[in-house]
Amino acid sequence: MSGNIELLGDTLAKAKAENRAALIAYLPAGFPTVDGGIAAIKAVFDGGADVVEVGLPHSDPVLDGPVIQTADDIALRGGVKIADVMRTVREAHEATGKPVLVMTYWNPIDRYGIERFTEELAAAGGAGCILPDLPVQESSVWREHADKHGLATVFVVAPSSKDERLATITAAGSGFVYAASLMGVTGTRESVGEQAADLVRRTRATSDLPVCVGLGVSNATQAKEVAVFADGVIVGSAFVKRILDDDGDEAAGLAAVRELAAELAEGVRRVS
């Protein structure tokens, strides 16, 4: 069975044709529970997200700040497994028909088996993987299996990336490029900054892939700011925080993430 890389491409192209950025949301699988996490992703899609990244919880998420680390810890203590991640992808995609990726560090895939992981992700209807810690020069085996199963390989670029390095990364990637807006970990911030716009400009000079910006975006004003220069706006910690703040009230948490998605979706559509 083939994955949904084409659906991902079509979704990003549709947003561009509508003169807006795509809204890409992130939520970890198994948070606050497996069923609760699936419901939250559906609510985010309901609110207006175009794409969702499902996080594979990790005990040492080096790119992630305290909010997502807390969510990962809750999911891991709840016993979340890779099978639950695949179930989350499957049910979210089947319910919405929209593209769902997995964001994961490399170690869990390496231990699970590349062929097994890519085959199961494609069978679940996944669109691909975001791999923040997989070096491009060590990615050929992964990319071979991802290509075979119709899955995108999304690499992360940072403001510190030199132009030559950007060209190497974008040549190997597919789906889109994840541009980290600043050096550091995920989390909400007061400003996304000019570094992100410069990184998008330099990345576009090396590739025709859509460039989507993450790290730090948490409200409609910031989404609008980023949507002016990026093909997609990625939001994670702000969604996770809404669920953490609901004090275990699942209905309130779902309403909160749906509302935030609607606000952000309005933000990415206000491109001047």
Side-chain angles (χ1 to χ4, degrees):
M1 181 176 288
S2 181
N4 274 310
I5 187 173
E6 289 188 9
L7 175 62
L8 175 63
D10 290 346
T11 299
L12 294 172
K14 180 175 183 288
K16 184 176 182 179
E18 294 172 356
N19 191 35
R20 66 177 179 88
L23 174 59
I24 303 176
Y26 167 95
L27 282 167
F31 168 72
T33 63
V34 176
D35 289 341
I38 293 169
I41 291 169
K42 292 177 182 177
V44 166
F45 272 134
D46 248 3
D50 298 289
V51 180
V52 165
E53 305 170 7
V54 175
L56 195 162
H58 195 275
S59 58
D60 185 25
V62 293
L63 184 68
D64 297 308
V67 171
I68 291 176
Q69 286 184 21
T70 298
D72 277 6
D73 185 57
I74 290 169
L76 291 168
R77 285 191 282 111
V80 70
K81 306 293 185 187
I82 289 181
D84 299 312
V85 177
M86 298 299 179
R87 180 190 154 207
T88 299
V89 171
R90 178 181 295 106
E91 294 194 14
H93 172 65
E94 287 180 350
T96 65
K98 294 185 177 181
V100 183
L101 299 101
V102 169
M103 185 165 187
T104 178
Y105 297 98
W106 180 246
N107 182 256
I109 294 178
D110 194 36
R111 293 182 62 184
Y112 197 72
I114 298 173
E115 172 61 21
R116 181 184 178 193
F117 190 94
T118 52
E119 184 176 4
E120 290 182 6
L121 182 56
C129 253
I130 301 167
L131 300 161
D133 66 340
L134 176 63
V136 172
Q137 62 270 25
E138 298 174 18
S139 68
S140 59
V141 175
W142 160 265
R143 287 187 284 121
E144 176 186 339
H145 287 284
D147 290 348
K148 181 172 72 171
H149 290 292
L151 299 169
T153 298
V154 178
F155 290 112
V156 178
V157 297
S160 61
S161 302
K162 303 297 184 185
D163 291 351
E164 183 179 355
R165 178 67 176 164
L166 288 176
T168 299
I169 292 171
T170 58
S174 55
F176 65 90
V177 182
Y178 187 126
S181 66
L182 39 74
M183 301 303 293
V185 297
T186 57
T188 61
R189 291 174 172 84
E190 291 184 4
S191 175
V192 178
E194 293 181 5
Q195 281 187 320
D198 180 64
L199 177 59
V200 170
R201 178 189 59 77
R202 293 193 298 115
T203 303
R204 281 188 175 144
T206 72
S207 173
D208 292 330
L209 286 174
V211 184
C212 304
V213 172
L215 272 68
V217 180
S218 61
N219 58 49
T221 300
Q222 292 172 332
K224 179 182 179 181
E225 174 192 348
V226 173
V228 170
F229 59 80
D231 299 297
V233 179
I234 303 169
V235 181
S237 295
F239 283 114
V240 173
K241 190 173 186 301
R242 291 286 179 107
I243 297 174
L244 288 172
D245 288 347
D246 71 13
D247 293 326
D249 184 336
E250 182 175 344
L254 294 179
V257 295
R258 187 181 294 109
E259 178 184 40
L260 177 59
E263 293 170 1
L264 292 164
E266 182 182 353
V268 301
R269 283 166 173 79
R270 293 201 304 261
V271 179
S272 55

